[in-house]
mmCIF file of all heavy atoms in Angstrom:
data_model
loop_
_atom_site.group_PDB
_atom_site.id
_atom_site.type_symbol
_atom_site.label_atom_id
_atom_site.label_comp_id
_atom_site.label_asym_id
_atom_site.label_seq_id
_atom_site.Cartn_x
_atom_site.Cartn_y
_atom_site.Cartn_z
ATOM 1 N N SER A 7 -1.476 15.752 3.296
ATOM 2 C CA SER A 7 -2.354 16.502 4.180
ATOM 3 C C SER A 7 -2.730 15.745 5.429
ATOM 4 O O SER A 7 -3.400 16.271 6.302
ATOM 5 C CB SER A 7 -3.643 16.883 3.427
ATOM 6 O OG SER A 7 -4.290 15.715 2.989
ATOM 7 N N LEU A 8 -2.326 14.457 5.532
ATOM 8 C CA LEU A 8 -2.703 13.634 6.667
ATOM 9 C C LEU A 8 -1.518 13.449 7.593
ATOM 10 O O LEU A 8 -0.367 13.492 7.160
ATOM 11 C CB LEU A 8 -3.170 12.252 6.191
ATOM 12 C CG LEU A 8 -4.447 12.239 5.351
ATOM 13 C CD1 LEU A 8 -4.676 10.824 4.847
ATOM 14 C CD2 LEU A 8 -5.633 12.718 6.138
ATOM 15 N N PRO A 9 -1.780 13.195 8.876
ATOM 16 C CA PRO A 9 -0.682 12.795 9.763
ATOM 17 C C PRO A 9 -0.048 11.534 9.218
ATOM 18 O O PRO A 9 -0.708 10.703 8.608
ATOM 19 C CB PRO A 9 -1.397 12.520 11.103
ATOM 20 C CG PRO A 9 -2.681 13.257 11.013
ATOM 21 C CD PRO A 9 -3.052 13.299 9.571
ATOM 22 N N SER A 10 1.239 11.365 9.505
ATOM 23 C CA SER A 10 1.963 10.253 8.882
ATOM 24 C C SER A 10 1.371 8.909 9.204
ATOM 25 O O SER A 10 1.298 8.031 8.368
ATOM 26 C CB SER A 10 3.436 10.290 9.326
ATOM 27 O OG SER A 10 3.516 10.187 10.746
ATOM 28 N N LYS A 11 0.904 8.720 10.433
ATOM 29 C CA LYS A 11 0.408 7.383 10.783
ATOM 30 C C LYS A 11 -0.918 7.084 10.101
ATOM 31 O O LYS A 11 -1.325 5.950 9.976
ATOM 32 C CB LYS A 11 0.269 7.232 12.295
ATOM 33 C CG LYS A 11 -0.830 8.116 12.913
ATOM 34 C CD LYS A 11 -0.933 7.827 14.401
ATOM 35 C CE LYS A 11 -2.002 8.666 15.096
ATOM 36 N NZ LYS A 11 -2.091 8.380 16.503
ATOM 37 N N LEU A 12 -1.638 8.121 9.641
ATOM 38 C CA LEU A 12 -2.873 7.898 8.914
ATOM 39 C C LEU A 12 -2.614 7.838 7.420
ATOM 40 O O LEU A 12 -3.243 7.086 6.697
ATOM 41 C CB LEU A 12 -3.873 9.020 9.207
ATOM 42 C CG LEU A 12 -4.342 9.091 10.661
ATOM 43 C CD1 LEU A 12 -5.205 10.326 10.852
ATOM 44 C CD2 LEU A 12 -5.101 7.850 11.046
ATOM 45 N N GLY A 13 -1.692 8.648 6.958
ATOM 46 C CA GLY A 13 -1.419 8.718 5.527
ATOM 47 C C GLY A 13 -0.961 7.407 4.957
ATOM 48 O O GLY A 13 -1.228 7.097 3.804
ATOM 49 N N ASN A 14 -0.288 6.590 5.743
ATOM 50 C CA ASN A 14 0.218 5.326 5.232
ATOM 51 C C ASN A 14 -0.879 4.336 4.916
ATOM 52 O O ASN A 14 -0.647 3.321 4.307
ATOM 53 C CB ASN A 14 1.194 4.695 6.234
ATOM 54 C CG ASN A 14 2.491 5.457 6.297
ATOM 55 O OD1 ASN A 14 2.860 6.112 5.326
ATOM 56 N ND2 ASN A 14 3.170 5.393 7.417
ATOM 57 N N ASN A 15 -2.102 4.604 5.384
ATOM 58 C CA ASN A 15 -3.194 3.689 5.109
ATOM 59 C C ASN A 15 -3.987 4.088 3.874
ATOM 60 O O ASN A 15 -4.898 3.400 3.470
ATOM 61 C CB ASN A 15 -4.151 3.630 6.307
ATOM 62 C CG ASN A 15 -3.555 2.878 7.462
ATOM 63 O OD1 ASN A 15 -3.132 1.736 7.307
ATOM 64 N ND2 ASN A 15 -3.487 3.500 8.615
ATOM 65 N N MET A 16 -3.660 5.229 3.287
ATOM 66 C CA MET A 16 -4.383 5.726 2.125
ATOM 67 C C MET A 16 -3.874 5.055 0.863
ATOM 68 O O MET A 16 -2.682 4.957 0.659
ATOM 69 C CB MET A 16 -4.191 7.245 2.046
ATOM 70 C CG MET A 16 -4.806 7.883 0.829
ATOM 71 S SD MET A 16 -6.559 7.589 0.752
ATOM 72 C CE MET A 16 -6.914 8.378 -0.807
ATOM 73 N N MET A 17 -4.769 4.571 0.013
ATOM 74 C CA MET A 17 -4.364 3.902 -1.210
ATOM 75 C C MET A 17 -5.006 4.587 -2.398
ATOM 76 O O MET A 17 -6.220 4.707 -2.461
ATOM 77 C CB MET A 17 -4.762 2.431 -1.183
ATOM 78 C CG MET A 17 -3.978 1.616 -0.173
ATOM 79 S SD MET A 17 -4.417 -0.097 -0.232
ATOM 80 C CE MET A 17 -6.013 -0.048 0.543
ATOM 81 N N GLN A 18 -4.195 5.041 -3.348
ATOM 82 C CA GLN A 18 -4.681 5.626 -4.580
ATOM 83 C C GLN A 18 -3.813 5.154 -5.728
ATOM 84 O O GLN A 18 -2.703 4.670 -5.534
ATOM 85 C CB GLN A 18 -4.659 7.165 -4.521
ATOM 86 C CG GLN A 18 -5.763 7.753 -3.645
ATOM 87 C CD GLN A 18 -5.799 9.264 -3.747
ATOM 88 O OE1 GLN A 18 -4.773 9.899 -3.857
ATOM 89 N NE2 GLN A 18 -6.986 9.822 -3.710
#
Side-chain angles (χ1 to χ4, degrees):
S7 59
L8 295 174
S10 59
K11 67 177 180 180
L12 296 174
N14 289 334
N15 287 306
M16 176 59 183
M17 291 183 286
Q18 286 187 324

